[in-house]
Amino acid sequence: MTAVSDVSSHAIARARWRPAEIVFWVLALSCAFLFPSRYLIMTDILRLALFTLSLDLILGYAGIVSLGHAAFFGVGAYSAGLLALHGIINEPVIALVVAGLVAMVLGFLTSFLVIRGVDLTRLMVTLGIALLLEALAERFSNITGGTDGLQGIEMQPILGMFAFDMFGKTGFFYSLIVLFLLFLLARRIVNSPFGLSLRAIKNNPLRASAIGVPVNRRLIAIYTVAAFYAGIAGALFTQTTALASLDVFAFERSADLMLVLVIGGTGYLYGGLIGAVVFKMLQELFQTITPQYWLFWIGLVLVVMVLVGRERIHRWVLWGPNLIIRQVFGRKAGVAVPESDAP
Amino acid sequence: MSIRSQLLLVAGSVAAMLALAPAQAQETVKIGLILPMTGGQASTGKQIDNAVKLYMQQNGDTVAGKKIEVILKDDAAVPDNTKRLAQELIVNDKVNFIAGFGVTPAALAAAPLATQAKVPEIVMAAGTSIITERSPYIVRTSFTLAQSSTIIGDWAAKNGIKKVATLTSDYAPGNDALNFFKQNFTAGGGEIVEEVKVPLQNPDFAPFLQRMKDSKPDAVFVFVPAGQGGNFMKQYAERGLDKSGIKVIGPGDVMDDDLLNGMGDAALGTVTAHLYSAAHPSAANKEFVAAYKKAFGQRPGFMAVGGYDGIRLIYEALKKTGGKTDGDALIEAMKGAKWESPRGPISIDPETRDIVQNIYIRKVEKVDGELYNVEFATFEAVKDSGKTKK
């Protein structure tokens, strides 16, 4: 077998849909019917999952660290808000795509700054861009509403048929569909030759360029795509909450995102989704128990999580289920969790 | 087989979600209290939370045969949190009131929900005029910036202050304060020599203060939200403005009782117009201050009073409706409610659902070694001029 066919057969094997993945999405859909009173928090999780997916694309696959991903989220959020507020594009789906494209343009323009330099420089540059945008949004308060946020956004029904309701049902299904479609796209991207070349760059940029991968062009491309994803997440945020305020650009948002990805694991697309579920659940749990000091507990959990190591926690969580699975299906049927950098 | 393991993780989380599913309403009246308990506005949230607890300790947790249950949520003063929490409280916990709201954007974010769900929204802190106009179910027990700003504007014009520089936080309440002050002050013959708006999220006043100093006014009109006043006065003193003869005037937010004592002597002589001072000389207030100090080891500020009166309004309304929790009936019961608060006599304006209260002109003085806002003039039953003008 030649090396080329080896690589491609490997890629094809990875790209195949596994039954468990289908079960995952069916489960996500069934949540809508299992917990009809929790649409809002579930919508929140979906938005965060999409946003995390965006960071995973650049961090997990291309190795670009970012502490300013909220910049694109915020641009998407304000774009969607302004489009709806001034009645420029009333149809939410078109507005969503347009808002994503606006963020994408910004992503493309700033990518040239980001690809210069390595990790620490990138952290500073991305952080700087987000802070810059936040300051701009505050300065031009006549457009953005400043600290008061965009007030009075009224969302039109999706495709003219499905109106946003108070219980968040429409918003939930809307977000779920958008997340699923973009997930499919992301899945296609990372399993394509393009996606494989990103992994090569992540592992060793020098070697990647030596074998003929155009490193900078690939990084610019994936950064731009990630910006589109983040912009869509931001636009979903505005559309489902009918709000956009300065905190969409907040540093905390970018930092939380990093935490979510750390919890879920980088470099496999489900990491972001699972991280979002776990993170929001922890937050909700601690906020309910202690509205005043929940930050302490969530901090403690994160420290413990990092100290113990995600792999070990996964193993503990899976110990019980594995015991059952082994009883039923025999010794070799146990379940393992992919490590942070799946091959 | 990696994906299957992820499914198990998610299944675990789903189980956690089930555990969080709320209990259903019975013979209790539930109040969803949404406050900033973390972040920059946390002092507001803590004061209101304390005051609500204090009132319920003093008056028991049963009204008209119903048990009162308060569900506290932290929104960190971020409006989309506020909205989500309000929505969940209404839909899942089936609360009969939503209350709190540390900042104006938070109160506005919840307004459409109050209308849709016909749930009374009790605003205990936020002070922009327009809030009560956003929903017929909003009632306010705090104050509006127009109330205090118009009065300090009149007072300044009549008391020999000719030139004023203004420094206000750049958001809705700050703009309200500035506009109403300007309107009454210039009508009285005063002149605004410098107008500076500072970002809400930027607590560094130094560059702005330098500009203030250069424009040589008789006084500086200052509005910063409760909690930032201490920082302002510190920098004011550091820049030597206190020695340059430039006085600080403003609505009383900057001289919040919560922080006043830590400001040091630079604050002495500051004249502000406001609804409440911990030094208010009434029996009701003395009792309130003593009880609050005993329970929480600090002095109550005007935010605490807003919370104290807010929970009282809920009690009074429930008494009137005999425990019925229909939104419209509750709002009707609240309209025109009247009682003696620690801050003095107050009532709810039946037309605007906004608070009508006395506004006091106060000067910072040393009483028994502690700094207090000592009241020396009273304007009685002040309505929100933000609305009466329309």
Side-chain angles (χ1 to χ4, degrees):
Chain A
M1 230 183 218
T2 63
V4 173
S5 68
D6 201 31
V7 168
S8 62
S9 68
H10 178 68
I12 290 164
R14 282 183 55 83
R16 203 173 298 139
W17 274 85
R18 295 180 188 82
E21 285 185 87
I22 297 165
V23 175
F24 177 91
W25 287 101
V26 171
L27 206 66
L29 184 66
S30 61
C31 277
F33 303 101
L34 287 174
F35 313 104
S37 63
R38 309 290 290 173
Y39 281 128
L40 293 161
I41 183 87
M42 290 195 293
T43 311
D44 214 9
I45 292 173
L46 291 177
R47 288 194 302 251
L48 186 64
L50 181 59
F51 192 27
T52 317
L53 191 62
S54 159
L55 185 66
D56 199 15
L57 281 179
I58 57 167
L59 180 63
Y61 287 90
I64 303 172
V65 287
S66 169
L67 263 184
H69 221 50
F72 308 119
F73 185 88
V75 167
Y78 270 108
S79 305
L82 290 170
L83 288 173
L85 190 63
H86 299 296
I88 303 167
I89 298 175
N90 282 323
E91 213 297 298
V93 177
I94 302 171
L96 184 76
V97 175
V98 172
L101 290 176
V102 174
M104 192 174 178
V105 169
L106 181 79
F108 178 72
L109 294 176
T110 53
S111 65
F112 295 96
L113 301 172
V114 174
I115 57 165
R116 301 173 77 92
V118 284
D119 290 356
L120 199 56
T121 335
R122 282 174 182 163
L123 277 183
M124 302 314 290
V125 169
T126 49
L127 180 63
I129 291 168
L131 291 178
L132 205 73
L133 285 169
E134 187 178 1
L136 280 175
E138 188 161 14
R139 175 70 190 76
F140 293 99
S141 51
N142 50 343
I143 300 170
T144 61
T147 314
D148 300 330
L150 281 180
Q151 294 289 345
I153 299 173
E154 274 181 34
M155 293 311 302
Q156 301 298 318
I158 300 166
L159 302 171
M161 289 191 289
F162 308 101
F164 286 96
D165 57 316
M166 187 180 141
F167 307 100
K169 191 175 180 182
T170 313
F172 173 77
F173 284 107
Y174 180 47
S175 304
L176 185 62
I177 292 166
V178 171
L179 175 67
F180 182 63
L181 292 178
L182 287 177
F183 179 84
L184 288 183
L185 181 66
R187 205 178 176 284
R188 182 78 191 82
I189 291 173
V190 299
N191 288 320
S192 69
F194 171 80
L196 290 177
S197 72
L198 286 177
R199 281 165 180 264
I201 294 168
K202 189 193 175 194
N203 289 337
N204 191 336
L206 210 59
R207 188 187 277 173
S209 65
I211 58 170
V213 178
V215 174
N216 281 357
R217 266 177 30 214
R218 292 283 152 90
L219 290 183
I220 287 171
I222 192 67
Y223 196 75
T224 309
V225 171
F228 175 74
Y229 272 64
I232 294 275
L236 267 185
F237 169 83
T238 303
Q239 293 188 339
T240 49
T241 60
L243 273 176
S245 55
L246 278 185
D247 62 85
V248 291
F249 287 117
F251 169 69
E252 286 79 7
R253 201 176 282 277
S254 305
D256 278 355
L257 191 64
M258 203 69 125
L259 291 177
V260 171
L261 205 51
V262 166
I263 295 173
T266 57
Y268 69 109
L269 292 175
Y270 287 94
L273 311 192
I274 292 164
V277 174
V278 175
F279 182 78
K280 277 287 168 195
M281 287 295 158
L282 284 176
Q283 203 175 345
E284 174 80 6
L285 183 71
F286 290 132
Q287 266 181 339
T288 310
I289 297 169
T290 160
Q292 204 161 341
Y293 304 111
W294 60 274
L295 285 170
F296 169 82
W297 291 106
I298 211 159
L300 187 71
V301 166
L302 288 170
V303 169
V304 169
M305 208 173 260
V306 172
L307 283 182
V308 175
R310 196 174 43 242
E311 294 81 27
R312 226 176 296 172
I313 291 179
H314 286 177
R315 226 180 308 141
W316 292 343
V317 170
L318 294 175
W319 184 81
N322 267 347
L323 213 63
I324 300 165
I325 291 169
R326 290 205 179 100
Q327 293 297 322
V328 179
F329 298 104
R331 289 195 63 179
K332 284 183 181 171
V335 172
V337 176
E339 300 312 321
S340 57
D341 265 325
Chain B
M1 272 334 228
S2 63
I3 304 298
R4 202 193 295 169
S5 64
Q6 293 157 18
L7 296 181
L8 292 170
L9 281 183
V10 172
S13 319
V14 164
M17 205 179 224
L18 266 177
L20 288 174
Q24 289 306 306
Q26 296 134 18
E27 269 305 284
T28 51
V29 172
K30 290 184 181 179
I31 303 168
L33 192 58
I34 308 173
L35 291 168
M37 300 302 290
T38 56
Q41 303 296 320
S43 73
T44 300
K46 275 169 198 156
Q47 288 222 9
I48 293 177
D49 180 38
N50 285 348
V52 168
K53 283 197 185 113
L54 181 65
Y55 187 86
M56 293 181 65
Q57 261 171 32
Q58 292 173 336
N59 295 279
D61 59 358
T62 323
V63 187
K66 301 265 177 127
K67 200 172 152 54
I68 305 286
E69 186 190 340
V70 174
I71 306 171
L72 177 66
K73 297 276 177 186
D74 169 32
D75 66 355
V78 177
D80 63 89
N81 283 346
T82 315
K83 190 167 185 180
R84 181 172 69 76
L85 292 170
Q87 219 161 351
E88 292 196 340
L89 284 168
I90 292 171
V91 175
N92 297 343
D93 295 304
K94 312 258 186 302
V95 294
N96 308 101
F97 298 88
I98 47 175
F101 309 101
V103 295
T104 299
L108 294 180
L113 296 169
T115 313
Q116 250 177 310
K118 297 189 197 300
V119 169
E121 174 180 344
I122 315 295
V123 177
M124 295 174 169
T128 313
S129 263
I130 49 163
I131 292 175
T132 52
E133 291 166 0
R134 288 297 168 89
S135 163
Y137 292 91
I138 296 181
V139 182
R140 172 155 42 197
T141 60
S142 51
F143 63 102
T144 73
L145 264 312
Q147 286 177 332
S148 41
S149 299
T150 48
I151 285 183
I152 192 75
D154 286 340
W155 182 86
K158 284 188 194 122
N159 286 272
I161 295 174
K162 294 274 168 271
K163 290 195 289 181
V164 166
T166 66
L167 185 149
T168 52
S169 289
D170 188 10
Y171 74 130
N175 295 334
D176 262 16
L178 173 64
N179 294 337
F180 287 107
F181 171 76
K182 204 156 74 178
Q183 172 194 308
N184 283 39
F185 181 59
T186 49
E191 187 196 350
I192 308 277
V193 290
E194 173 91 39
E195 218 172 89
V196 177
K197 289 185 180 180
V198 294
L200 182 64
Q201 319 278 12
N202 177 8
D204 183 20
F205 301 104
F208 303 105
L209 284 168
Q210 191 57 46
R211 276 170 66 186
M212 296 272 116
K213 203 176 171 183
D214 294 342
S215 58
K216 293 198 174 35
D218 299 330
V220 191
F221 172 84
V222 181
F223 170 79
V224 290
Q228 287 187 12
N231 195 4
F232 171 81
M233 284 313 290
K234 191 166 147 267
Q235 298 194 9
Y236 176 82
E238 274 169 8
R239 295 255 142 189
L241 269 83
D242 55 330
K243 293 183 187 64
S244 65
I246 302 174
K247 285 283 160 215
V248 176
I249 57 170
D253 305 69
V254 63
M255 290 294 141
D256 188 357
D257 272 300
D258 200 17
L259 306 164
L260 183 57
N261 220 5
M263 289 184 194
D265 290 350
L268 280 173
T270 302
V271 176
T272 52
H274 214 39
L275 56 114
Y276 176 71
S277 161
H280 179 67
S282 74
N285 184 48
K286 289 212 173 87
E287 194 189 321
F288 171 65
V289 173
Y292 191 97
K293 267 191 182 158
K294 191 170 163 239
F296 308 108
Q298 58 175 166
R299 212 194 274 179
F302 66 95
M303 290 299 183
V305 177
Y308 195 74
D309 285 333
I311 186 79
R312 176 156 183 182
L313 179 64
I314 292 175
Y315 272 54
E316 301 282 335
L318 283 170
K319 272 182 211 159
K320 237 189 221 175
T321 62
K324 265 197 291 183
T325 52
D326 171 56
D328 293 294
L330 285 171
I331 290 288
E332 274 314 310
M334 287 181 198
K335 284 181 182 170
K338 195 180 270 188
W339 70 87
E340 166 83 18
S341 148
R343 63 180 115 171
I346 60 171
S347 65
I348 302 294
D349 188 334
E351 274 154 36
T352 59
R353 289 161 278 102
D354 221 325
I355 189 155
V356 179
Q357 60 191 339
N358 291 353
I359 296 290
Y360 310 91
I361 307 268
R362 316 94 45 94
K363 190 175 203 166
V364 177
E365 284 172 23
K366 221 169 221 173
V367 181
D368 301 333
E370 288 191 29
L371 294 181
Y372 277 99
N373 290 304
V374 178
E375 297 163 356
F376 62 88
T378 306
F379 291 78
E380 278 177 14
V382 179
K383 286 191 176 190
D384 173 31
S385 52
K387 290 182 207 79
T388 47
K389 286 275 144 52
K390 274 168 198 163

